[in-house]
Amino acid sequence: MEFRRSRAIVPVLEVLPEAGSTNDVLRQRAGGLPDLAVLVTDNQTGGRGRLGREWITPPGTALAISVLLKPVGLPSSAYGWFPLLAGLAMSRALGPLVPGGVQVKWPNDVLIEGDKVCGILAELLPDLSGLVIGAGVNLSQTREQLPTDTSTSLALAEATAVDADLVLSAYLIQLSTVYREFLSAGGDPIRSALRDEVVEACHTVGRPVRVQLPSGDDLLGTAVGIDEDGRLVVQSDAGRTAVAAGDVTHLRY
């Protein structure tokens, strides 16, 4: 994998022939790397998603991408927006390749016709000086190779291109753009207009949902928005609840 397009976008891009987890490798090396350094592999053997879920795909069929962010002068309270911004960036990158377009599921899954094509996992650096944004994109898996019946790949979605460098470069362009806009606004999602853009891209807002909360309780209601802290706002019989973390299911009734 040459990644000629992608290398021109970021200061450092290292291609790993294999990695247990690109997020783990990048976190370990973060001290000696600049802002927007990238590690990528098409053979990740120990990937993971949100809530500790495993993310493993056959070699050569998916991209595992990790991007280092070192936002100088940004309050740590703003870090919660980065998974949402990464999801927005990936949806913008993949959208032109897919006939029916793509959507974002709060907080950070990217969907094609309701099926997951990409998941994103943000993890803080141990010294809290920044974070690593991991993204796993399904490129060419067959239906039999996918981990769940609610997953898909760009090939299955009949994307106009499944080229790894094209996908990665498009994502890095979009992520770099929203990252700089966010920094220019001092991490303010309202002043940067990024909250409105995230809401517009978010397929969850406006839908009936079930949210399994960290406590184990279920919250049933309608997702009505995303607040200034990036939390999903759910209207239920009990009123409005702002959800910072939880497993969201889109309901069909």
Side-chain angles (χ1 to χ4, degrees):
M1 294 185 292
E2 296 287 338
F3 290 107
R4 291 175 181 169
R5 291 188 189 94
S6 303
R7 291 184 189 280
I9 298 163
V10 293
V12 173
L13 191 153
E14 183 177 350
V15 182
L16 304 176
E18 178 181 314
S21 162
T22 53
N23 266 24
D24 287 349
V25 175
L26 190 51
R27 289 172 71 208
Q28 291 164 5
R29 299 184 184 177
L33 291 172
D35 192 30
L36 289 170
V38 178
L39 294 184
V40 62
T41 188
D42 67 353
N43 186 14
Q44 182 167 252
T45 59
R48 61 187 180 276
R50 291 180 60 248
L51 307 177
R53 295 188 179 112
E54 202 173 49
W55 188 79
I56 297 175
T57 58
T61 64
L63 277 185
I65 308 157
S66 292
V67 182
L68 176 64
L69 301 182
K70 293 183 173 180
V72 177
L74 206 65
S76 58
S77 58
Y79 283 14
W81 272 95
F82 284 118
L84 297 165
L85 297 180
L88 175 65
M90 186 62 78
S91 71
R92 289 177 172 176
L94 300 183
L97 305 178
V98 179
V102 302
Q103 307 85 35
V104 178
K105 177 185 173 187
W106 185 92
N108 48 22
D109 286 343
V110 180
L111 312 178
I112 299 175
E113 295 185 354
D115 290 335
K116 182 175 176 177
V117 71
C118 172
I120 291 167
L121 178 66
E123 297 182 296
L124 290 171
L125 297 179
D127 62 1
L128 305 182
S129 63
L131 66 164
V132 171
I133 303 286
V137 190
N138 296 332
L139 297 179
S140 60
Q141 292 101 318
T142 63
R143 179 62 60 191
E144 293 72 27
Q145 290 174 320
L146 290 166
T148 71
D149 58 6
T150 57
S151 302
T152 192
S153 67
L154 290 177
L156 287 172
E158 300 181 345
T160 56
V162 191
D163 179 78
D165 191 22
L166 179 63
V167 170
L168 178 58
S169 61
Y171 171 59
L172 295 179
I173 288 169
Q174 296 295 340
L175 182 62
S176 299
T177 298
V178 297
Y179 178 48
R180 291 183 177 118
E181 289 174 357
F182 194 57
L183 290 181
S184 294
D188 187 332
I190 310 298
R191 185 155 59 90
S192 65
L194 287 168
R195 184 183 70 165
D196 291 343
E197 294 175 27
V198 168
V199 170
E200 184 177 355
C202 186
H203 193 50
T204 306
V205 175
R207 295 179 64 96
V209 296
R210 179 176 65 246
V211 184
Q212 185 174 21
L213 301 171
S215 65
D217 294 333
D218 282 349
L219 174 64
L220 289 169
T222 299
V224 295
I226 296 173
D227 72 9
E228 63 274 12
D229 294 319
R231 299 176 299 180
L232 184 69
V233 180
V234 178
Q235 179 73 51
S236 69
D237 291 341
R240 292 197 170 195
T241 303
V243 177
D247 197 13
V248 175
T249 301
H250 290 172
L251 302 178
R252 300 185 183 273
Y253 59 81

